[in-house]
């Protein structure tokens, strides 16, 4: 069972503030991902990482940035939060590509509200 | 372009069987996943298909037809706790990327 943790669970913050959403996993997975999900909508990939010092932008354009300095840690930062950033942010990880299965394991998400 | 279609909502009765369909059009195909997501919680992995046919796992089964770009998730002996959103996701690249494209999900309501 994968263990992946996100903090905070909920965050309400004013416009213009800098925020960092934390994501950590204890399974030693090399691949990590950030998805954005609005209510009733599909998950959109905004960032991913193949390993330490590797980060790529996803399919959905995002003003956020990420870093991967340690295998277990993949934080997401918004330099200046805006109401359009209000959404749920889900972090996920996956292990080695063995037999193709390699499912994503998701954290519980951070529900961000920017006022 | 990339497109994954699922019904938005379905309703079924406790103890019954329900089939949730998913059709996809992607630039490539390297596996299809089904996830369950309860309200306010993280998606959890249910099943994986990469070859045509049926994969059975307890009360849950998933079917894939690559030539038709079609999959379904079959839930048997429905329980109230099965009320959730069911997400179909396709991996359209091979190798190391493992990026998934998700559908909007099907919200299943199980009634007594």
């Amino acid at each position: 069972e994968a263990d992946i943790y996100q903090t905070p669970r909920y965050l309400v913050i004013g416009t213009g503030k800098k925020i960092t959403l934390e994501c950590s996993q204890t399974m030693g997975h090399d691949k990590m991902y950030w998805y954005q999900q609005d209510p009733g909508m599909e998950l959109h990939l905004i960032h991913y990482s193949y390993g330490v010092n590797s980060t790529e932008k996803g399919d959905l354009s995002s003003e956020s940035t990420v870093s991967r300095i340690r295998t277990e840690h993949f934080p997401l930062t918004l330099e200046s939060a805006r109401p359009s950033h209000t959404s749920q942010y889900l972090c996920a990880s996956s292990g080695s590509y063995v037999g193709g299965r390699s499912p994503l394991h998701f954290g519980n998400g951070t529900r961000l509200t920017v006022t | 372009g990339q497109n994954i279609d699922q019904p938005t909502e379905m309703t079924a009765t406790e103890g019954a069987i329900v089939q949730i369909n998913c059709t996809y059009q992607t630039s490539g195909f390297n596996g299809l996943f089904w996830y369950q997501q309860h309200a306010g919680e993280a998606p959890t992995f249910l099943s994986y298909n990469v070859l045509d046919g049926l994969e059975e796992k307890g009360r849950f089964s998933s079917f894939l037809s690559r030539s038709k770009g079609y999959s379904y998730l079959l839930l048997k002996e429905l329980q109230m706790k099965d009320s959730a959103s069911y997400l179909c996701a396709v991996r359209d690249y091979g190798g190391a990327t493992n990026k998934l494209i998700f559908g909007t999900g099907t919200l299943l309501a199980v009634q007594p």
Side-chain angles (χ1 to χ4, degrees), chain B residues 75-109:
Chain B
L75 290 78
K76 303 175 187 174
E77 302 169 15
L78 280 172
Q79 302 174 9
M80 298 298 291
K81 67 178 183 179
D82 296 330
S83 293
S85 186
Y86 291 85
L87 313 178
C88 174
V90 171
R91 181 168 57 208
D92 68 346
Y93 301 111
T97 62
N98 203 26
K99 296 190 295 179
L100 299 186
I101 301 166
F102 282 85
T104 55
T106 299
L107 185 61
L108 174 66

Side-chain angles (χ1 to χ4, degrees), chain A residues 3-11 18-25 32-35 64-70 72-78 89-92 106-112:
Chain A
D3 290 313
I4 181 164
Y5 307 99
Q6 290 186 243
T7 56
R9 188 81 172 87
Y10 301 94
L11 179 62
K18 177 180 179 179
I19 57 171
T20 296
L21 308 185
E22 300 289 347
C23 176
S24 295
Q25 50 97 4
M32 296 189 74
Y33 315 80
W34 277 101
Y35 282 85
S64 58
T65 59
V66 291
S67 63
R68 189 87 183 277
I69 298 173
R70 303 197 314 268
E72 62 272 21
H73 194 215
F74 191 40
L76 180 145
T77 298
L78 277 165
Y89 294 84
L90 287 161
C91 181
F106 285 89
N108 281 326
T110 294
R111 189 169 295 278
L112 173 66

Side-chain angles (χ1 to χ4, degrees), chain B residues 2-110:
Chain B
Q2 318 275 50
N3 195 44
I4 297 178
D5 286 318
Q6 305 177 234
T8 305
E9 295 180 352
M10 297 183 72
T11 303
T13 304
E14 193 175 15
I17 299 172
V18 71
Q19 178 175 311
I20 302 174
N21 296 324
C22 171
T23 58
Y24 63 89
Q25 291 176 309
T26 54
S27 54
F29 179 83
N30 198 37
L32 186 144
F33 295 79
W34 283 95
Y35 283 82
Q36 180 190 61
Q37 186 177 25
H38 285 100
E41 296 183 11
T44 55
F45 169 71
L46 288 178
S47 69
Y48 169 74
N49 295 73
V50 67
L51 300 177
D52 290 351
L54 188 69
E55 293 283 340
E56 296 187 81
K57 201 179 191 179
R59 294 190 299 115
F60 295 77
S61 303
S62 57
F63 172 83
L64 175 67
S65 169
R66 289 171 296 170
S67 62
K68 295 181 180 177
Y70 169 69
S71 173
Y72 67 73
L73 180 70
L74 194 71
L75 290 78
K76 303 175 187 174
E77 302 169 15
L78 280 172
Q79 302 174 9
M80 298 298 291
K81 67 178 183 179
D82 296 330
S83 293
S85 186
Y86 291 85
L87 313 178
C88 174
V90 171
R91 181 168 57 208
D92 68 346
Y93 301 111
T97 62
N98 203 26
K99 296 190 295 179
L100 299 186
I101 301 166
F102 282 85
T104 55
T106 299
L107 185 61
L108 174 66
V110 180

